[in-house]
Amino acid sequence: MLAQKISIPKEENKTVYSILFIIGLVHLLNDAIQSVVPALFPVLENSMGLTFTQIGLIGFALNATSSLIQPVVGLYTDKRPSPYALPIGLIFSFVGIVGLAIAPTFWLIIISVMFIGIGSATFHPEGSRVAYMAAGNRRGLAQSIYQVGGNSGQALAPLIAAFLLVPFGQFGTIWFTLVAGLGVFLLFYIARWYKMKVSESAAKAVIKKKTVSGNKQLEQKKLVLFSITLLIFLVFARSWFHAGITNFYPFYLIKNYGLSIAESQIYIFIFLGTGAVGTFFGGPLADRFGKRNMILLSMLGSAPLAFLLPYAGPMFSYVLLGVIGFIILSSFSVTVVYAQELVPGRIGLVSGLIVGLAFGMGAVGSVVLGILADWIGLNNTIMFAACLPLIGLLTFLLPTDQKLREMHGE
């Protein structure tokens, strides 16, 4: 059954910027909390003598927990919207931060980051739904505002390491309980608006639908299944590359160029900071030039620059990382919107799959790259990661934006 095109009242097309900016800010706070973990890696390596494999396992525990639960949360809330799951989720992150600050052993660190992961898993599908509800007819821009908050939070990780964790050590993470507390306060406000919108939606008339032939419907289901699987794989490859840069490139800089921990983190800040800018511009550009085109450009456009990175030297690497971050993360919000339009009516599920499960699969990359670094050497591992954006060639197999509109009768 496909939704028939109907006229929509102007009020339904209105973009609620106040809600978008607040949920974007909370996304920043949530992902800043999550980014404390990789920012802590160099500190833990020195204080606990962890191997690259153990560091990869910590990254896996965080990302797998925060990611694998997301589709389950999204599937549940598609059927039963749960506004107050948002603040409750961030309370889990609060507990995780306290544990991370005082954990004396490797396994207690694992448990603490899993609490942070559960909080993040609860937040992301519902946060994406809030952005969708507040978007009006500007979905690309709305997702960009929401996702740029998260990417900006991730960009804070190297600054956290350089100015908070290096001087104060592991216990310096305790300050992020204040960040979690602010996030919980703001999410209670968002939850009240969300609950009001759910009540309004329930009171509206059911949209008329039209039928299509059984054969055509089966073909469309096969195309949707193939496309969503391929999209997850593309995000998976992007996440492996992201893990290679954020988790292991600092060690490459320290080893090859003799930089300090604080100096190496500036490079990662540049990568993530320009990535946040790219995320913001990616949505509006996709609204104009097409979502599939932006996904293709972000992967293939960054590939040749990624090849140059291991040979660039300490000065030119600043420039390369900035350009790579902008290009490859310009599709961050676009992939979410593309998936939402590929499977309309399943906002939580597809958001959980793209932002969640795909990153959970990418979390495996943290472990694999850590094992590779111990096995074949750090330099070869960075070169392997530099090849991953070439997987973007598979984007040509995705349906065009026009094909998506035709599928859903637009």
Side-chain angles (χ1 to χ4, degrees):
M1 304 288 287
L2 296 177
Q4 189 175 27
K5 187 175 181 180
I6 60 171
S7 60
I8 303 175
K10 285 185 178 180
E11 188 66 25
E12 299 246 345
N13 282 329
K14 185 178 180 181
T15 304
V16 189
Y17 287 102
S18 59
I19 294 297
L20 286 175
F21 287 128
I22 293 173
I23 197 66
L25 173 60
V26 178
H27 198 182
L28 184 153
L29 300 177
N30 178 85
D31 283 27
I33 293 170
Q34 206 171 337
S35 294
V36 169
V37 179
L40 199 59
F41 286 166
V43 175
L44 293 176
E45 187 209 20
N46 283 337
S47 63
M48 292 187 173
L50 302 183
T51 66
F52 286 126
T53 300
Q54 287 176 310
I55 288 170
L57 285 171
I58 295 172
F60 175 78
L62 173 70
N63 291 324
T65 308
S66 67
S67 303
L68 295 176
I69 299 174
Q70 282 195 44
V72 178
V73 173
L75 182 62
Y76 176 84
T77 55
D78 279 337
K79 298 178 180 178
R80 299 177 182 85
S82 307
Y84 289 97
L86 286 163
I88 291 171
L90 213 57
I91 291 172
F92 274 87
S93 296
F94 182 96
V95 174
I97 281 293
V98 173
L100 188 62
I102 62 177
T105 66
F106 170 73
W107 289 109
L108 285 176
I109 287 173
I110 291 286
I111 292 171
S112 298
V113 301
M114 288 177 69
F115 267 88
I116 296 173
I118 291 170
S120 184
T122 306
F123 169 78
H124 277 102
E126 287 298 86
S128 188
R129 189 191 309 279
V130 168
Y132 184 90
M133 290 190 298
N137 59 1
R138 307 197 69 181
R139 293 178 186 172
L141 176 62
Q143 276 297 325
S144 286
I145 293 172
Y146 170 66
Q147 297 294 352
V148 78
N151 284 4
S152 299
Q154 293 172 23
L156 292 175
L159 297 183
I160 293 166
F163 300 111
L164 186 63
L165 301 183
V166 170
F168 296 106
Q170 180 181 342
F171 190 72
T173 60
I174 197 69
W175 289 102
F176 279 82
T177 56
L178 300 177
V179 175
L182 175 60
V184 170
F185 174 78
L186 293 173
L187 285 177
F188 272 110
Y189 174 81
I190 290 287
R192 288 194 292 271
W193 178 85
Y194 179 176
K195 185 177 181 181
M196 178 191 70
K197 293 295 290 185
V198 169
S199 299
E200 289 176 0
S201 297
K204 290 175 183 175
V206 177
I207 297 174
K208 295 180 180 179
K209 296 187 176 183
K210 66 177 182 179
T211 60
V212 297
S213 67
N215 288 339
K216 186 174 181 181
Q217 193 175 44
L218 181 61
E219 289 175 5
Q220 289 185 358
K221 284 183 178 179
K222 288 180 178 178
L223 179 59
V224 167
L225 180 60
F226 168 79
S227 300
I228 201 73
T229 303
L230 177 57
L231 194 63
I232 290 171
F233 182 69
L234 290 168
V235 176
F236 170 40
R238 188 181 65 196
S239 299
W240 272 49
F241 177 78
H242 193 276
I245 297 296
T246 57
N247 292 352
F248 296 101
Y249 190 66
F251 296 108
Y252 179 88
L253 292 166
I254 293 168
K255 175 185 174 183
N256 289 278
Y257 305 136
L259 302 183
S260 67
I261 292 175
E263 288 171 335
S264 71
Q265 293 299 313
I266 301 301
Y267 289 80
I268 308 306
F269 171 71
I270 290 172
F271 172 74
L272 295 174
T274 57
V277 177
T279 297
F280 179 78
F281 283 102
L285 288 172
D287 284 340
R288 181 171 182 179
F289 298 109
K291 298 169 188 65
R292 194 189 76 158
N293 291 340
M294 280 303 301
I295 296 170
L296 179 66
L297 176 64
S298 74
M299 297 289 282
L300 296 187
S302 58
L305 302 177
F307 282 131
L308 290 176
L309 189 60
Y311 310 101
M315 293 304 297
F316 190 43
S317 292
Y318 281 120
V319 178
L320 274 182
L321 280 171
V323 179
I324 292 169
F326 181 91
I327 295 174
I328 200 163
L329 290 179
S330 64
S331 66
F332 195 91
S333 62
V334 179
T335 51
V336 177
V337 178
Y338 184 93
Q340 289 174 346
E341 295 185 0
L342 186 65
V343 192
R346 295 288 187 176
I347 305 303
L349 176 61
V350 297
S351 299
L353 285 170
I354 298 304
V355 182
L357 182 58
F359 272 87
M361 295 168 65
V364 178
S366 295
V367 178
V368 172
L369 292 173
I371 293 171
L372 282 176
D374 286 331
W375 182 35
I376 65 174
L378 185 61
N379 289 6
N380 290 331
T381 302
I382 294 298
M383 291 178 186
F384 168 77
C387 297
L388 292 171
L390 281 176
I391 293 175
L393 286 167
L394 296 176
T395 305
F396 284 110
L397 301 177
L398 290 173
T400 63
D401 292 53
Q402 179 61 33
K403 177 67 175 178
L404 289 184
R405 287 191 289 269
E406 291 172 358
M407 284 171 56
H408 301 302
E410 296 182 9

